[in-house]
């Protein structure tokens, strides 16, 4: 009994000292560094560039990152189970082409187009998951293969042309279908919010998806088990987790969210444009990886991913308003990513290492 | 009789606070096979790694042919003449390259080797090496196409290109069939006759009987027995290796309750004798046996990770045939796996998350987790097992090994169950933590059946109400831990109760 009390007293006696030791400047920097950097940027741009602080500018930033943000949240799920999904970009563009095909060529309505895209996204995720779980193909390679396959597949029905009303089909007919107004509403409607016509649908969808992802990953047992799988797959399996099912689920969520991104892109463009969406994969993966650095998480997380996407949006919008040329954008994104990765792996790794 | 090849004196090695080697003195003679025995965690692999230059020694000296050896890296040790063939065959060969390239690999990696490959020269030299050890194989074939024995021989042949003074073999037969092993033994005997000193690590009775000129036993980082009088006293060696200093553990014998788990003609590997065994409520059964005796296999079958060859299991009278750990847990059969690092711990997760991982459904309503309930359960476990930590929110990595193990055991004690299986629950923990864990297992044993898999005899005697000995994937003995004939138990562990030794070799 004495030993037990001793141990407890000892543990409690240690408590304040250790907690104080935890809050070193490095720890603070790791935890709040990225958020402060973002606050600093916003402050800088609002001083340096007139008109940066306005509801329209804020909404523009949100709108510019809505689609990549949604894709990034999807890829976050695959990162959580220690996987990776390279096929999100091409899944999104496939959804873009599929929705155009359904409405313009098959002359069906908005609901059919949306459903077809969501089902396709889920199927792509299912195939990815099965390739990885059942066929034991490494995640990067399986989704790389899927990426290629989809890029090719979306060109076949139209012999490599973009889809628009009035185009000639391979069989010689001219398409007469149109993008349904309900579908275009998804991309073009703006809700009133204090100011008339302020908030686009895509921004609301982004916020909704982000909250749902956060709740799922942080608050539910399914999210916890996904993190457990990513942390030590074998231990998770021995704790009774159905590892395969959760992995497949992660890829399906990734596929569905990618198709949501594709739908929004199609609704904004109003045509099945083959060339759009080239940057989706890199941008969204970058957002998810930048998310590692937010709050010193050092792991994929929904909040970080959303912040990561916003960070890039703020930076690009600010630079654009300060007349930085468009062709510097990728360079800026790349730099942010590298800095974020250093935050995550060098600094956090050092802290973890010293704890052991 | 033979001159000394390697002389090790006063060797110590610690990893952090964990003293792994505790003053090893060992001589290895030319032209002699020395078998090194020891239970898991006795320090065998660390000793090997120090000798072959993977880890530096803290103190002590290694002399090779009378001269001090200072090998800081494995390649330096190899150049000095100390060559190791590791347990996992694929560590020793590169499956995608052909035999010739594999045999000459170290030559290719040597500093000063030419830039371009000289294929013809390499093949010619490789053929010579292969022929010298009796390896008959087309040297242009990829190693991946060869059978296991040939691959093992390639690994050894590769070792022989260095003209070793000392050849270390770490459980080389663990994946070979009896026939394949025989080819390996013939080769080793030939090497021994040319004057190479061989250090052979194995648990297999048949290997040791066939090859050993001398047996050295390790336990807790020390050499606890040397046997070089022919005929070798294998039983005494096992005795020394497992140790049995009777402990003052207070065992009050409880009357066993009802049968919880009944194994009926359960054959766990093809060719093994079927197992008939009843596991009773309130009872702690220790299942012991050497590495490869079938303990892990049995645990895997009970937990739904693997399927038996034939036979039946009954849990509380109803047929029990789990297809996955999830099904086993749902039926109230828990397994605390061995080797917590790879099978149990969720790194970068806090203590709470590590404790509640298998039972999240219980801590959630409609999938949403109740963190307060989780934290309460974690605090209860921390309290119950005397775990030293600041709070239940600590990262698991900040705990010492013993406390991590307590978390792993506490995880499975945090819910009531029908049958709790603990596979090597005392692995890598100090004596204090071992007592704590053992006491908790006993305190909570009422109302369930408990199986503890352990190979250390000390641990077995300390924990068990009943001791079941496995050998060759079958039950070799079943004793109450009352007035126990320890000699008989050890003989059964050593596989001497049945004299069918060829089966020992093919039992893997």
């Amino acid at each position: 009994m004495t030993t037990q009390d001793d141990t407890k007293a000892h543990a409690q006696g240690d408590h304040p000292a250790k907690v104080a030791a935890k809050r070193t400047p490095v720890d603070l920097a790791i935890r709040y560094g990225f958020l402060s950097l973002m606050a600093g940027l916003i402050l800088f741009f609002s001083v340096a560039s007139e008109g940066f602080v306005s509801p329209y500018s804020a909404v523009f930033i949100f709108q510019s990152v809505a689609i990549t943000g949604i894709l990034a949240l999807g890829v976050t799920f695959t990162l959580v189970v220690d996987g990776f999904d390279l096929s999100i970009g091409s899944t999104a563009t496939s959804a873009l082409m599929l929705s155009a095909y359904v409405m313009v060529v098959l002359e069906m309505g908005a609901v059919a187009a949306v459903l077809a895209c969501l089902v396709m996204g889920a199927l792509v995720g299912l195939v990815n998951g099965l390739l990885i779980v059942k066929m034991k193909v490494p995640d990067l390679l399986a989704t790389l293969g899927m990426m290629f396959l989809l890029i090719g597949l979306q060109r076949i029905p139209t012999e490599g042309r973009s889809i628009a009303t009035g185009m000639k089909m391979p069989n010689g007919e001219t398409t007469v279908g149109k993008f349904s107004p309900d579908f275009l509403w998804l991309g073009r409607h703006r809700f009133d919010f204090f100011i008339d016509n302020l908030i686009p649908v895509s921004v609301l969808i982004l916020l909704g998806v982000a909250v749902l992802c956060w709740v799922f990953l942080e608050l539910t047992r399914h999210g916890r088990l996904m993190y457990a799988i990513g942390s030590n797959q074998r231990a998770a399996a021995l704790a009774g987790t159905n590892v395969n099912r959760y992995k497949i689920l992660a890829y399906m969520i990734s596929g569905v969210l990618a198709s949501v991104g594709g739908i929004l892109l199609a609704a904004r463009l109003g045509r099945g444009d083959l060339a759009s969406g080239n940057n989706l994969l890199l941008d969204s993966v970058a957002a998810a990886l930048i998310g590692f650095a937010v709050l010193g998480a050092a792991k994929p997380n929904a909040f970080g991913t959303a912040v990561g996407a916003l960070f890039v949006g703020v930076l690009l919008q600010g630079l654009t308003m300060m007349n930085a040329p468009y062709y510097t954008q990728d360079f800026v994104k790349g730099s942010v990513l590298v800095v974020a990765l250093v935050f995550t792996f060098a600094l956090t790794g050092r802290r973890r290492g010293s704890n052991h | 009789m033979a001159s000394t090849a390697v002389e090790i004196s006063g060797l110590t090695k610690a990893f952090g606070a964990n003293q792994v080697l505790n003053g090893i003195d060992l001589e290895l003679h030319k032209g002699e096979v020395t078998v090194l025995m020891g239970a898991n965690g006795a320090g065998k692999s660390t000793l090997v790694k120090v000798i072959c230059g993977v880890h530096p020694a803290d103190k002590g000296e290694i002399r090779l042919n009378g001269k001090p050896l200072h090998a800081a890296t494995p390649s330096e040790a190899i150049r000095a003449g100390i060559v190791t063939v590791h347990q996992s065959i694929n560590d020793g060969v590169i499956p995608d390259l052909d035999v010739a390239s594999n045999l000459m690999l170290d030559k290719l990696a040597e500093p000063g080797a030419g830039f371009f490959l000289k294929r013809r020269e390499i093949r010619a030299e490789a053929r010579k090496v292969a022929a010298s050890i009796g390896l008959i194989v087309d040297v242009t074939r990829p190693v991946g196409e060869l059978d296991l024995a040939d691959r093992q021989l390639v690994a050894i042949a590769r070792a022989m290109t260095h003209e070793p003074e000392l050849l270390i073999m770490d459980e080389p037969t663990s994946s070979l069939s009896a026939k394949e092993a025989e080819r390996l033994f013939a080769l080793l005997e030939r090497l021994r006759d040319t004057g190479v000193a061989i250090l052979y690590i194995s648990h297999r009775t048949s290997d040791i009987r066939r090859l050993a000129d001398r047996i050295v036993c390790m336990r807790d980082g020390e050499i606890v027995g040397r046997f070089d009088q022919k005929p070798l006293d294998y039983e005494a060696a096992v005795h020394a290796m497992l140790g049995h200093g009777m402990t003052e553990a207070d065992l009050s014998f409880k009357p066993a309750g009802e049968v919880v788990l009944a194994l009926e003609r359960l054959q766990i590997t093809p060719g093994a004798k079927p197992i008939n065994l009843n596991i009773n409520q309130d009872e702690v059964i220790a299942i012991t046996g050497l590495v490869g005796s079938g303990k892990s296999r049995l645990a895997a079958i009970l937990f739904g990770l693997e399927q038996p060859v034939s036979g039946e299991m009954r849990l509380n009278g109803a047929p029990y045939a789990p297809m996955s750990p999830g099904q086993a847990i749902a039926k109230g059969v828990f397994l605390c796996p061995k080797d917590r690092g790879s099978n149990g711990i969720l790194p970068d997760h806090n203590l709470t998350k590590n404790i509640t991982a298998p039972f999240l459904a219980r801590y959630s309503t409609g999938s949403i987790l109740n963190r307060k309930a989780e934290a309460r359960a974690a605090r209860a476990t921390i309290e119950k097992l005397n775990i030293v930590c600041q709070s239940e929110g600590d990262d698991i990595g900040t705990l010492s090994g013993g406390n991590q193990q307590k978390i792993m055991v506490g995880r499975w004690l945090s819910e009531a169950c029908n049958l709790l299986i603990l596979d090597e629950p005392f692995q890598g923990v100090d004596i204090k933590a071992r007592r704590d864990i053992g006491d908790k297992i006993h305190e909570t044993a009422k109302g369930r059946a408990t199986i503890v898999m352990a190979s250390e005899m000390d641990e077995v005697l300390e924990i068990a109400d009943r001791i079941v000995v496995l050998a060759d994937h079958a039950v070799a003995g079943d004793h109450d831990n009352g007035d126990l004939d320890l000699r008989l138990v050890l003989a059964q562990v050593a596989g001497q109760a049945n004299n069918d030794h060829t089966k020992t070799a093919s039992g893997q």
Side-chain angles (χ1 to χ4, degrees), chain A residues 4 7-8 11 15 18 215 218-222 224-225 227-228 231-232 234-240 352 355-356, chain B residues 303 305 325-326 329 341-349 353 358 360 364 367-369 371 374 386 388-390 397:
Chain A
Q4 190 177 348
T7 323
K8 267 170 69 186
H15 203 86
K18 286 265 175 81
V215 167
E218 300 294 324
L219 300 186
T220 73
R221 65 190 173 96
H222 307 295
R224 176 75 63 77
L225 290 174
Y227 274 114
S231 165
N232 182 347
R234 205 174 147 64
L238 286 171
R352 294 249 158 111
N355 262 348
H356 276 285
Chain B
F303 199 51
L305 289 163
I329 292 170
S342 48
N343 298 330
I345 300 271
L346 298 172
D348 300 333
H349 282 54
K353 291 179 181 178
L360 289 179
S364 55
S367 289
I368 302 287
L369 287 167
R371 291 181 174 223
E374 274 192 90
N386 244 338
V388 181
C389 62
Q390 290 157 43

Side-chain angles (χ1 to χ4, degrees), chain A residues 166-184:
Chain A
M167 68 176 282
K168 262 220 157 44
M169 286 303 288
N171 59 10
E173 286 175 31
T174 309
T175 56
V176 292
K178 277 198 298 212
F179 265 70
S180 117
D182 293 341
F183 190 86
L184 293 174

